[in-house]
Amino acid sequence: MNSRIIVALDFESSKQASNFLDNLDPEECRIKIGKELFTASGPDFVRSVIARGFDVFLDLKYHDIPNTVAKAAVVAADLGVWMLNVHASGGMAMMSQTRDALERFGADRPKLIAVTVLTSMAGNDLAQIGIQASPLEQVVRLATLTENAGLDGIVCSAAETSTLRKSVSSDFCLVTPGIRRLEDAAGDQKRVVGPGEAIANGSDYLVVGRPITKAASPNAALGEFNLAVAGAVKPLV
Ligand code: C5P
């Protein structure tokens, strides 16, 4: 499996999500399971998606004391997920202890990435929690901290990737949501980027939700996204 497309499985129930997956080929995409579906359907559902042959990104954004996050990450890795994430603002100790705890999985270790600044937060939201830096400065600071903690990458806006690529190494993985083709509705995404452009700007994996999940033919839409990134020259990390 070498698709760079991670389909966001944003459904309310495992029944809806399973119906959707019945028509999707695990050779063509990976799957992201977030808080809503996980809270509704739990670890058994995650196992069932993995059993179908999909690589699963468990998007639960852990943020707690180092011991708690490290232990939660080990349980997630035991489920067999391909990727999981934490909040970089949990700090160096939280990230590096979690990274160390996953070492026991050897070559099967899931990719561990971090969320830097939520894209829903603007400068004034950061100021309210005592951060005077601009959102982009804070993103770069937390991306560097994440890389120094030994994690594999970050989730970031496709609009930030070219700036970030100058601060992190080329094998540091950038995972970007907010991806749309020209014909797709932006929905609640404020700044959207096309799939080919996102890869050209340095993204490694693209998280795509509604343009695929709400498409008349999800398979056809997924095929178009895969085609749009097929010209990418950078090898997968
Ligand atoms: O439907 P859409 O393509 O907008 O879905 C994008 C997915 O990426 C959703 O699951 C959303 O929660 C997630 N996401 C995002 N923006 C971020 C982080 C995650 O849209 N900054």
Side-chain angles (χ1 to χ4, degrees), residues 83-111:
M83 176 181 272
L84 63 113
N85 59 359
V86 300
H87 268 283
S89 50
M92 175 61 109
M94 188 201 79
M95 289 195 282
S96 57
Q97 202 169 310
T98 303
R99 169 72 175 77
D100 291 348
L102 293 176
E103 275 308 307
R104 73 188 69 168
F105 293 91
D108 294 330
R109 177 178 76 76
K111 286 185 190 298

Side-chain angles (χ1 to χ4, degrees), residues 8-10 32 34 59 61 115 117-120 155-157 176-180 186 188-189 207-211 213:
L9 204 56
D10 293 328
K32 178 173 90 69
D59 178 21
K61 302 186 181 72
V115 175
V117 178
L118 293 171
T119 47
S120 53
V155 183
C156 64
S157 150
T176 53
I179 307 296
R180 295 289 186 270
D188 53 2
Q189 298 283 8
V207 175
V208 186
R210 288 158 291 182
T213 56

Side-chain angles (χ1 to χ4, degrees), residues 13-71:
S13 70
S14 57
K15 188 165 179 4
Q16 288 173 343
S18 295
N19 288 342
F20 173 75
L21 288 176
D22 283 344
N23 297 309
L24 223 52
D25 180 353
E27 290 304 312
E28 297 296 318
C29 65
R30 302 166 204 264
I31 294 294
K32 178 173 90 69
I33 297 176
K35 287 193 172 89
E36 181 185 19
L37 188 54
F38 185 80
T39 303
S41 308
D44 282 344
F45 178 72
V46 176
R47 285 192 196 92
S48 77
V49 178
I50 295 168
R52 286 172 182 258
F54 289 100
D55 280 353
V56 170
F57 168 19
L58 190 62
D59 178 21
L60 296 182
K61 302 186 181 72
Y62 298 125
H63 187 176
D64 209 312
I65 59 171
N67 184 57
T68 300
V69 172
K71 286 188 161 167

